[in-house]
């Protein structure tokens, strides 16, 4: 027996929960290659002045690690509210988005938005309840549901993976899930939802007693003029908007995700969180990063420019890129996505195979990384028998 078979049979011998038998964990490959463009991180390094600021605050926190951290992470919540208020004020003045003011009372945070989502499902889903999302979407949603013993309902999308208000509302009314997750901009397709979809979904959700989650992990990369679902929060206590510092903030390793919602939603989450879930180190690092938000996000515009460049150049190669409001591009038109994925990897470019035939997803990196990706793919496309489908 191989070592892997031995481990598998040892796992099978454990008194594991039945529904976990034969299941696979989340596992995007972590390969060290020159262009790592498969998990939508910001590929620019953290600027050195921000590194210094984080190190200084973490050092200060280390002096009192003998004590438990602030269980309410009050300073962090306040800074997150101020950060979102700055974005909301910018959108209000740039294109007349609704003016909304958030306070720390509206904010909740966890070790990545993954943990925030787990808190939401622990409080509002759980055994005997159900969670609905609309594939193709973030592959973690069914895993979160499984982790809290909830049923997972896969909703459907229209042509080109689009969602319309009436269709989403009808599916909520038909399935009556306890939690529905809308992902905007959606991963892996990249496109943001029209807010009318969220509004109409919310109307249905009031009738079906459903919590509506809008996952805006990529919110900062939205195309100009696209409002955030944060603007819909006033008067909607069953609406939650989740965000993360993992993407635009260039802090995936810091593990800090958060949400904005009515204050009573955060009271519900206090019932399920483990005490002191955010370490003093995490709070200190995130607060220092938020104090330097402008520096950390200085590359967002550069990344958006590379994203838009990818869309234009892929079209020029005869491929089918989707409109993107995020820091990645989803594209179709490949003869064989597995061959294309391997061809790119052989050239030192790691992208994501999201399991959709003929399609791949690529993160917009630095200009050099993007060039490496486009050059490699162009070589594949030139050899049209290997690269690009004939009928489109
Ligand atoms: C990357 C991503 C997240 C972020 O997860 P973290 O735990 O905050 O790193 C959340 N939702 C979607 C759709 C994502 O793609």
């Amino acid at each position: 027996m191989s070592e892997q078979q031995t481990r598998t049979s040892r796992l099978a011998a454990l008194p594991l929960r039945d529904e976990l038998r034969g299941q696979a964990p989340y596992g995007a490959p972590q390969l060290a290659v020159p262009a790592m463009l498969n998990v939508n991180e910001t590929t620019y390094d953290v600027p050195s002045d921000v590194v210094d600021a984080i190190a200084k605050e973490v050092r200060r926190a280390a002096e009192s690690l003998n004590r438990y951290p602030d269980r309410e992470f009050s300073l962090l919540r306040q800074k997150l509210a101020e950060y979102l208020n700055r974005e909301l004020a910018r959108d209000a003045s740039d294109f007349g988005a609704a003016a909304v003011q958030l306070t720390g009372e509206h904010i909740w945070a966890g070790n990545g938005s993954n943990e925030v989502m787990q808190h939401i499902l622990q409080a509002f889903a759980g055994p005997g309840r159900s969670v609905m999302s609309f594939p193709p979407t973030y592959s973690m949603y069914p895993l979160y549901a499984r982790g809290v013993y909830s049923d997972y309902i896969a909703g459907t999308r229209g042509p080109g993976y689009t969602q319309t208000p009436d269709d989403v509302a009808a599916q909520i009314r038909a399935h009556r899930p306890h939690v529905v997750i809308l992902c905007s901009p959606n991963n892996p397709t990249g496109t943001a939802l029209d807010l009318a979809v969220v509004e109409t979904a919310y109307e249905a959700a009031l009738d079906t007693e459903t919590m509506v989650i809008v996952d805006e992990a990529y919110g900062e990369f939205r195309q100009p003029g696209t409002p955030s679902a944060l603007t819909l929060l006033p008067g909607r206590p069953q609406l939650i908007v989740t965000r993360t510092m993992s993407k635009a903030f260039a802090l995936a390793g810091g593990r800090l995700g958060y949400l904005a919602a009515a204050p009573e939603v955060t009271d519900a989450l206090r019932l399920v969180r483990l005490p002191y879930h955010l370490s003093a180190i995490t709070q200190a690092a995130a607060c220092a990063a938020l104090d330097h938000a402008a520096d950390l996000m200085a590359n967002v515009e550069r990344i958006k420019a590379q994203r838009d460049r990818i869309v234009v150049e892929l079209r020029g190669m005869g491929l089918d890129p989707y409109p993107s409001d995020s820091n990645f591009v989803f594209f179709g038109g490949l003869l064989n996505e597995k061959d294309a994925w391997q061809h790119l990897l052989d050239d030192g470019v790691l992208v994501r195979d999201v399991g959709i035939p003929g399609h791949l997803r690529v993160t917009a990196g630095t200009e050099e990384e993007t060039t490496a990706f486009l050059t490699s793919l162009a070589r594949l496309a030139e050899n049209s028998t290997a690269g690009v489908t004939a009928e489109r």
Side-chain angles (χ1 to χ4, degrees):
M1 253 202 258
S2 77
E3 197 177 325
Q4 188 52 46
Q5 281 170 326
T6 312
R7 278 285 284 273
T8 305
S9 57
R10 280 191 199 154
L11 170 59
L14 293 174
L16 185 68
R17 282 168 49 189
D18 289 338
E19 63 274 36
L20 296 181
R21 291 188 182 277
Q23 299 278 345
Y26 172 88
Q30 288 193 303
L31 304 175
V33 296
M36 294 184 277
L37 306 176
N38 70 329
V39 287
N40 302 338
E41 298 149 326
T42 284
T43 65
Y44 290 89
D45 292 340
V46 177
S48 64
D49 57 329
V50 184
V51 172
D52 290 345
I54 291 174
K56 186 160 155 252
E57 289 307 313
V58 167
R59 192 194 183 289
R60 201 204 307 271
E63 288 168 3
S64 20
L65 281 180
N66 55 313
R67 300 289 181 187
Y68 282 111
D70 173 11
R71 195 169 50 217
E72 289 298 318
F73 46 103
S74 308
L75 182 62
L76 175 59
R77 281 162 54 210
Q78 184 193 322
K79 285 181 191 291
L80 288 166
E82 287 164 4
Y83 165 75
L84 291 179
N85 284 337
R86 288 198 295 277
E87 179 187 306
L88 286 161
R90 240 181 356 256
D91 284 1
S93 88
D94 285 358
F95 58 92
V100 175
Q101 276 281 336
L102 302 169
T103 69
E105 289 294 297
H106 296 99
I107 304 293
W108 187 254
N111 293 284
S113 59
N114 284 183
E115 189 185 39
V116 168
M117 203 68 88
Q118 186 176 52
H119 288 167
I120 295 170
L121 296 197
Q122 284 176 323
F124 296 106
R129 292 189 163 208
S130 60
V131 177
M132 181 177 196
S133 70
F134 300 85
T137 189
Y138 190 38
S139 60
M140 282 303 299
Y141 299 148
L143 303 196
Y144 299 143
R146 181 178 83 190
V148 298
Y149 306 79
S150 294
D151 294 328
Y152 175 74
I153 301 165
T156 58
R157 290 172 182 260
Y161 304 122
T162 54
Q163 295 185 280
T164 61
D166 290 347
D167 184 39
V168 171
Q171 292 187 55
I172 291 172
R173 289 183 202 280
H175 293 284
R176 308 183 70 84
H178 296 84
V179 175
V180 65
I181 307 173
L182 302 170
C183 188
S184 177
N186 185 49
N187 181 4
T189 52
T191 321
L193 274 182
D194 194 328
L195 282 197
V197 175
V198 182
E199 288 176 292
T200 311
Y202 191 84
E203 292 304 312
L206 286 180
D207 294 341
T208 57
E209 297 182 39
T210 300
M211 291 297 290
V212 177
I213 320 302
V214 183
D215 182 347
E216 291 193 347
Y218 302 96
E220 289 91 345
F221 296 101
R222 298 188 312 273
Q223 295 283 355
T226 310
S228 163
L230 291 167
T231 56
L232 299 179
L233 283 175
R236 290 188 177 87
Q238 284 168 229
L239 178 63
I240 299 176
V241 181
T242 61
R243 291 283 187 106
T244 181
M245 294 180 77
S246 295
K247 307 287 162 61
F249 251 99
L251 218 65
R255 307 307 300 130
L256 202 291
Y258 58 104
L259 63 76
E264 59 267 34
V265 170
T266 68
D267 291 337
L269 304 178
R270 276 184 189 85
L271 302 173
V272 296
R273 63 103 178 273
L274 295 173
Y276 315 110
H277 68 287
L278 279 180
S279 81
I281 302 286
T282 299
Q283 292 186 42
C287 284
L290 284 157
D291 287 341
H292 293 79
D295 291 345
L296 272 170
M297 312 230 328
N299 294 315
V300 165
E301 290 308 316
R302 250 168 252 156
I303 294 165
K304 286 181 178 178
Q306 295 307 313
R307 166 201 67 197
D308 294 340
R309 172 186 170 210
I310 293 172
V311 170
V312 170
E313 298 215 10
L314 291 186
R315 244 182 233 136
M317 292 176 205
L319 292 160
D320 262 339
Y322 283 62
S324 176
D325 290 275
S326 51
N327 67 343
F328 57 86
V329 177
F330 176 68
F331 60 98
L334 296 165
L335 261 187
N336 182 320
E337 73 287 350
K338 303 232 168 347
D339 291 349
W341 184 88
Q342 188 62 52
H343 166 92
L344 288 161
L345 186 60
D346 292 344
D347 282 347
V349 181
L350 179 61
V351 301
R352 191 65 168 272
D353 176 357
V354 295
I356 299 178
H359 291 69
L360 289 172
R361 189 195 73 191
V362 62
T363 308
T366 62
E367 184 174 357
E368 294 71 34
E369 289 164 333
T370 304
T371 301
F373 162 73
L374 290 169
T375 308
S376 174
L377 201 62
R379 269 206 305 115
L380 184 77
E382 268 163 33
N383 180 0
S384 63
T385 54
V388 179
T389 53
E391 58 6 280
R392 299 192 45 230

